[in-house]
């Protein structure tokens, strides 16, 4: 087991990474302060993983909430099912919510914890690669709105994150690939040697080799933990974690939540961001093709959806949390391993980058 720490003063917390961690009571118990726990998962994981963790929670007043599976259900209506059960079972401010699932479950459980009785404890048990390397760490919680992804939410940190790499063996190939998009992102924005390691080890990652997965999760979490510690509420540096996300969120919103997995949309969005960075002369030519090769090796899409005109991106990108005073801010690259946040882009440049990623 490897343990990292997100350094946020009195709200600091550990990230435990390794195989066979899910049912370990010694990792859970130090972060459950009261007698009540409410575990939130989805219909798929209730069969696959819930029996593995329930014995470690047998000494608590236990409640579970099983939500429908999929990004399409990441909304206020589904969120209310968590509140309904907390109130029905008379959970108090001393309860602890436990999120067993991927990014959708983690985001909704965290947001519910932030809201219930003005804030209760919660623990992240991420079960997808994407959630283990990204969404479970850093305290971003939210639900989607028909007009924009993750537009209703809160910054709210978990008590701990337990990333069990062995559960990734049960992931569908498409879900594993979606997580690899976020892993690639960390190399692009902050660590050129890690990016080169990914180019050499992508086959091992896709094959589910535990040593490779554990290292990729650890390095990704290290980078994110450092960025979050420096800028918890995304007033500056933390925005670099959104490379490709403004483009990707537009794809998800236009195509319908769930048509593209989040990581798939981000992979396409990163290609657009690289194309824009190249067109401005900020990075060496060739990275667009290099990243295309790596993304395809990861099993990710790299092309703008044929059914989505470039002009459809702009109004959706304007409904984005990074828009400031009416000006679109994008995360671009000034070098491989170095990201910047800039407003120095025109609509024409954005449209050209989108079209450059057509098949």
């Amino acid at each position: 087991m490897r343990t990292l720490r997100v350094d946020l003063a009195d709200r600091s917390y550990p990230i435990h990474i390794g195989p066979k961690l899910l049912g370990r009571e010694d990792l859970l118990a130090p972060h459950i302060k009261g007698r009540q726990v409410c575990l939130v998962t989805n219909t798929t994981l209730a069969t696959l993983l819930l029996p593995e963790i329930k014995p470690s929670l047998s000494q608590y007043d236990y409640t579970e909430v099983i939500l429908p599976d999929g990004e399409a259900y990441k909304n206020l209506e589904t969120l209310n099912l968590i509140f309904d059960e907390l109130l029905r079972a008379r959970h108090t401010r001393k309860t602890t919510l436990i999120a067993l699932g991927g990014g959708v479950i983690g985001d909704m459980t965290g947001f519910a914890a932030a809201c219930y009785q003005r804030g209760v404890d919660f623990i992240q048990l991420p079960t997808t690669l994407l959630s283990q390397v990204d969404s479970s760490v850093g305290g971003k919680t939210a639900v989607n709105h028909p007009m924009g992804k993750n537009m209703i939410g809160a910054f709210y940190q978990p008590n701990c994150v337990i990333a069990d790499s062995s559960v990734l063996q049960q992931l569908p190939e498409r879900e594993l690939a979606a997580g690899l998009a976020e892993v690639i992102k960390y190399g692009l924005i902050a660590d050129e040697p890690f990016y080169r390691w990914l180019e050499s080890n992508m086959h091992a990652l896709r094959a589910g080799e535990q040593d490779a997965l554990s290292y990729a999760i650890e390095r990704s979490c290290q980078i994110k933990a450092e960025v979050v510690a420096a800028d918890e509420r995304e007033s500056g540096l933390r925005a670099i974690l959104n490379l490709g996300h403004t483009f990707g969120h537009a794809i998800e919103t236009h195509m319908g939540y769930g048509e593209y997995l989040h990581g798939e949309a981000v992979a396409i969005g990163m290609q657009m961001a690289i194309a824009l960075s190249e067109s401005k002369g900020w990075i060496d030519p060739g990275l667009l093709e290099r990243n295309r090769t790596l993304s395809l090796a990861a099993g990710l899409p790299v092309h703008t959806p044929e059914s989505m005109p470039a002009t459809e991106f702009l109004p959706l990108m304007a409904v984005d949390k990074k828009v400031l005073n009416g000006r679109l801010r994008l995360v671009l690259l000034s070098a491989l391993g170095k990201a910047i946040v800039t407003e120095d882009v025109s609509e024409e440049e954005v449209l050209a980058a989108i079209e450059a990623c057509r098949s």
Side-chain angles (χ1 to χ4, degrees):
M1 184 178 74
R2 312 170 190 215
T3 298
L4 307 174
R5 192 162 184 83
V6 181
D7 187 6
L8 293 169
D10 61 341
R11 290 173 295 105
S12 298
Y13 55 92
I15 308 169
H16 302 301
I17 302 163
K20 305 299 180 184
L21 304 184
L22 199 59
R24 282 184 50 175
E25 185 178 343
D26 61 315
L27 299 180
L28 283 168
H31 304 286
I32 301 175
K33 300 171 185 174
R35 294 298 309 162
Q36 294 176 309
V37 297
C38 177
L39 188 143
V40 182
T41 191
N42 63 37
T43 50
T44 302
L45 296 175
T47 300
L48 292 175
L49 296 178
L50 198 53
E52 190 172 336
I53 187 175
K54 282 182 74 170
S56 63
L57 300 172
S58 60
Q59 71 272 38
Y60 300 101
D61 294 334
Y62 175 81
T63 301
E64 65 187 43
V65 180
I66 300 175
L67 302 178
D69 188 6
E71 182 84 27
Y73 299 101
K74 188 182 175 184
N75 52 41
L76 288 169
E77 182 179 0
T78 307
L79 181 74
N80 230 17
L81 298 177
I82 303 175
F83 297 135
D84 289 346
E85 192 59 31
L86 288 169
L87 290 165
R88 186 201 64 77
R90 298 183 179 178
H91 280 253
T92 71
R93 286 181 176 176
K94 296 296 184 181
T95 193
T96 299
L97 272 62
I98 300 175
L100 175 67
V104 172
I105 290 294
D107 276 15
M108 287 201 295
T109 305
F111 189 32
C115 296
Y116 187 68
Q117 298 203 29
R118 298 186 176 91
V120 297
D121 291 340
F122 88 106
I123 293 169
Q124 288 271 23
L125 303 181
T127 60
T128 64
L129 181 59
L130 190 148
S131 59
Q132 290 187 0
V133 302
D134 190 67
S135 62
S136 68
V137 178
K140 276 189 173 182
T141 71
V143 295
N144 298 331
H145 187 278
M147 293 177 63
K149 183 178 172 68
N150 292 334
M151 293 302 291
I152 304 168
F155 287 97
Y156 198 70
Q157 302 295 341
N159 290 30
C160 75
V161 178
I162 302 172
D164 186 337
S165 57
S166 58
V167 305
L168 302 180
Q169 295 171 344
Q170 302 184 48
L171 275 185
E173 187 175 347
R174 186 182 175 194
E175 287 278 2
L176 182 67
L180 289 170
E182 295 284 0
V183 176
I184 291 169
K185 175 195 75 177
Y186 289 111
L188 286 168
I189 66 172
D191 192 340
E192 181 181 3
F194 181 49
Y195 188 88
R196 286 190 267 107
W197 182 88
L198 291 171
E199 290 178 308
S200 300
N201 290 274
M202 188 54 70
H203 177 75
L205 291 169
R206 291 198 71 187
E209 294 184 13
Q210 286 297 305
D211 286 347
L213 283 170
S214 291
Y215 174 70
I217 295 166
E218 180 183 23
R219 185 66 191 119
S220 299
C221 287
Q222 281 176 334
I223 294 170
K224 183 156 190 181
E226 290 166 4
V227 172
V228 169
D231 178 21
E232 181 181 2
R233 292 182 173 267
E234 203 172 291
S235 58
L237 176 67
R238 182 167 177 168
I240 68 169
L241 298 171
N242 294 309
L243 179 72
H245 284 58
T246 302
F247 293 104
H249 288 171
I251 292 171
E252 289 181 271
T253 303
H254 176 83
M255 301 299 292
Y257 298 125
E259 182 69 23
Y260 280 78
L261 297 179
H262 176 64
E264 293 173 335
V266 166
I268 298 169
M270 290 193 296
Q271 286 295 101
M272 295 172 178
I274 294 169
L276 184 48
S277 302
E278 278 195 6
S279 72
K280 295 185 77 66
W282 292 352
I283 57 175
D284 293 334
L287 182 57
L288 183 65
E289 182 58 30
R290 185 177 172 184
N291 196 70
R292 177 181 181 276
T293 299
L294 180 59
S295 297
L296 289 173
L300 291 162
V302 293
H303 297 302
T304 305
E306 286 299 325
S307 62
M308 188 173 181
T311 51
E312 291 293 323
F313 278 80
L314 295 175
L316 294 172
M317 292 169 71
V319 185
D320 186 275
K321 298 180 291 297
K322 291 175 291 300
V323 171
L324 187 64
N325 297 324
R327 292 184 62 85
L328 179 65
R329 295 185 300 159
L330 288 175
V331 183
L332 301 179
L333 299 177
S334 60
L336 174 55
K338 185 175 181 181
I340 57 173
V341 183
T342 181
E343 297 178 4
D344 182 21
V345 290
S346 66
E347 288 189 0
E348 292 74 21
E349 289 173 317
V350 172
L351 292 172
I354 293 167
E355 290 298 340
C357 296
R358 295 274 180 204
S359 58

